[in-house]
Amino acid sequence: MVRVIVGTQFGDEGKGRAVEFLAPHTQVIARYQGGANAGHTIHINREPFVFHLVPSGIIYPHTLCIIGNGVALDPEELIKEIKVLKQKGINIENRLFLSLYAHIVMPYHKSKDDLNNSIGTTHRGIGPCYEDKCTRIGIRLMDLLSPEILEEKLKHNLSIFNSFNLEFKSIYEQYLSFGKFLSPFVTDTAVLLNQWIDEGKEVLLEGAQGLLLDIDHGTYPFVTSSNPHSGGACCGLGISPTRIDEVIGVTKAYTTRVGKGPLPTRLSPEIEKKVREFGKEYGATTGRPRRCGWLDIPLLHRAMMVNDIKQILLTKLDVLDKLPEIKICKEYKDMDAQWYNSANLETLEPIYETLPGWMTPTQNIRKYKDLPTNAKRYIERISELLGVKMMAIFIGPQKEDSIEL
Ligand code: IMP
């Protein structure tokens, strides 16, 4: 079985948690796009760690993890994560595989990202790295293993980006040493993945960010520079669409957004403050406070449609435990939900349905039937409005804080 996990909102839906939840039943976990702009919190012996590149399933010793060709790979960041895993006693030998075709985030990408940042990026150099990929001057992981090729490409690229005053020798030596460190993990991951699928392994393909940040399907131009869309999994890993059996959505019980761009269902400042505090809604990568909004059904519909999502994992329901009433944006006034853009999303008027809150802690609940009636009502209404099934509900940050359905 091959499944893709997709964020259905503006990222930060809790995909890392979702992968952790599904990992016990999964043998292979493969990341297909984005880079160190994403961040997921993994608990190792209940201690939280923020990882940006390594798939969260790595903490399960039985899993094989891939970072695919579609990922913008920052070797410095990845090496940091590998060192933390080693320190924590997690064996990654013959378990972590990096595509030799992955494009490398270089220092000039970060400088460029800092310089031109009108949409509020994460400053991780991701857009400029994909830009080089498209203009055919990108440096790939395989190039870090070939001193002559790296020299030639780096000299050429520095001649283009020389306004950043970056010095060839130190970058060259540093990136060669990154290549040396990473070389035991580098391989043609497309071959491995296709082979593992042929063998009938249980496979999970993990996207970063969310559909509404997709370069094609998101709120352009306030988007990331790759395709979190489930289709990104095929190109970003080297498999055919015919290999995918199912797409699972990850949806937060409310909406959040970090960086610029429209958020039509934004909460009043007073409620936003509460939700941000209960939900610890600060960017895992940048620490920026996230804007918070009510659940947005028209935008979610779009995510479900373009990904053909039939099942979702609903995350962070417990964050709403203390709200006396909860709204759901059912539709927008004067708008056909099939057509939207960033400009009209700013001006659209959401039409809300108001449901009573449950005002009861849910974190220790483990069975659906034990949830407060109004929480079940909220969940069932979401399911009904979106026409999807709930696969699980998450009611806290730890692995065990979940209700499987
Ligand atoms: P970039 O991906 O760093 O180029 O940033 C583009 C937009 O995507 C900005 O609004 C970022 O805040 C947002 N973004 C990128 N990665 C994430 C993520 O993992 N979660 C939430 N927002 C993200």
Side-chain angles (χ1 to χ4, degrees), residues 40-341:
H40 44 258
T41 308
I42 303 182
H43 290 87
I44 306 176
N45 304 329
R46 300 187 78 85
E47 205 187 331
F49 290 92
V50 178
F51 280 26
H52 302 280
L53 284 160
V54 175
S56 31
I58 196 84
I59 57 165
Y60 292 89
H62 69 278
T63 57
L64 300 167
C65 295
I66 288 178
I67 296 183
N69 58 279
V71 171
L73 196 151
D74 182 338
E76 193 168 9
E77 185 57 50
L78 180 59
I79 290 170
K80 260 193 236 159
E81 293 179 12
I82 290 176
K83 286 183 176 164
V84 170
L85 290 169
K86 283 185 175 166
Q87 269 166 19
K88 294 286 150 197
I90 294 172
N91 172 38
I92 52 163
E93 254 146 65
N94 295 319
R95 292 192 52 225
L96 178 66
F97 303 90
L98 313 174
S99 170
L100 42 84
Y101 303 110
H103 279 254
I104 297 294
V105 177
M106 300 296 293
Y108 43 83
H109 293 142
K110 293 181 194 169
S111 309
K112 199 169 174 199
D113 209 1
D114 288 344
L115 208 68
N116 176 19
N117 198 349
S118 54
I119 66 143
T121 75
T122 57
H123 296 265
R124 295 302 179 108
I126 306 301
C129 175
Y130 284 123
E131 237 177 280
D132 281 8
K133 175 177 180 174
C134 294
T135 44
R136 273 62 55 85
I137 59 163
I139 292 178
R140 299 193 284 181
L141 187 48
M142 60 165 83
D143 302 328
L144 303 191
L145 311 181
S146 309
E148 299 81 38
I149 296 177
L150 180 64
E151 181 176 350
E152 189 188 325
K153 285 189 153 188
L154 184 59
K155 278 188 173 155
H156 175 263
N157 290 359
L158 285 177
S159 71
I160 302 173
F161 295 109
N162 63 3
S163 51
F164 299 126
N165 283 328
L166 295 166
E167 202 238 325
F168 168 79
K169 192 167 174 285
S170 58
I171 301 176
Y172 176 69
E173 282 170 3
Q174 188 183 32
Y175 278 70
L176 270 186
S177 76
F178 290 157
K180 200 164 167 206
F181 184 99
L182 295 175
S183 64
F185 305 100
V186 180
T187 184
D188 188 344
T189 51
V191 174
L192 280 184
L193 185 57
N194 278 285
Q195 184 189 317
W196 289 336
I197 296 173
D198 286 341
E199 288 167 6
K201 287 197 168 28
E202 290 291 328
V203 176
L204 206 58
L205 313 179
E206 179 188 12
Q209 290 88 39
L211 194 269
L212 302 172
L213 290 177
D214 186 284
I215 182 96
D216 288 289
H217 299 286
T219 54
Y220 193 88
F222 303 100
V223 291
T224 194
S225 38
S226 60
N227 291 111
H229 182 274
S230 48
C234 297
C235 302
L237 288 162
I239 56 163
S240 160
T242 56
R243 297 292 211 163
I244 294 173
D245 296 295
E246 189 185 13
V247 182
I248 299 171
V250 184
T251 304
K252 201 186 279 191
Y254 48 97
T255 312
T256 58
R257 179 159 204 172
V258 64
K260 294 185 189 163
L263 179 62
T265 60
R266 188 159 186 189
L267 303 175
S268 65
E270 183 199 341
I271 305 178
E272 183 178 64
K273 193 163 171 253
K274 273 194 192 172
V275 170
R276 186 180 290 139
E277 292 315 311
F278 299 155
K280 300 194 174 53
E281 293 296 354
Y282 296 89
T285 301
T286 57
R288 291 178 289 180
R290 296 176 185 144
R291 286 175 283 153
C292 306
W294 299 116
L295 204 65
D296 189 323
I297 297 295
L299 292 186
L300 280 168
H301 257 306
R302 182 94 199 172
M304 304 301 157
M305 175 187 77
V306 298
N307 286 295
D308 189 26
I309 292 171
K310 305 269 187 341
Q311 288 204 76
I312 63 170
L313 294 148
L314 189 72
T315 64
K316 296 185 101 164
L317 183 77
D318 57 305
V319 174
L320 305 180
D321 282 354
K322 293 186 194 161
L323 299 187
E325 53 182 36
I326 297 167
K327 291 184 185 181
I328 300 180
C329 167
K330 269 192 351 188
E331 55 190 319
Y332 292 114
K333 206 170 165 192
D334 305 325
M335 181 194 160
D336 172 359
Q338 301 298 314
W339 186 89
Y340 67 93
N341 65 30

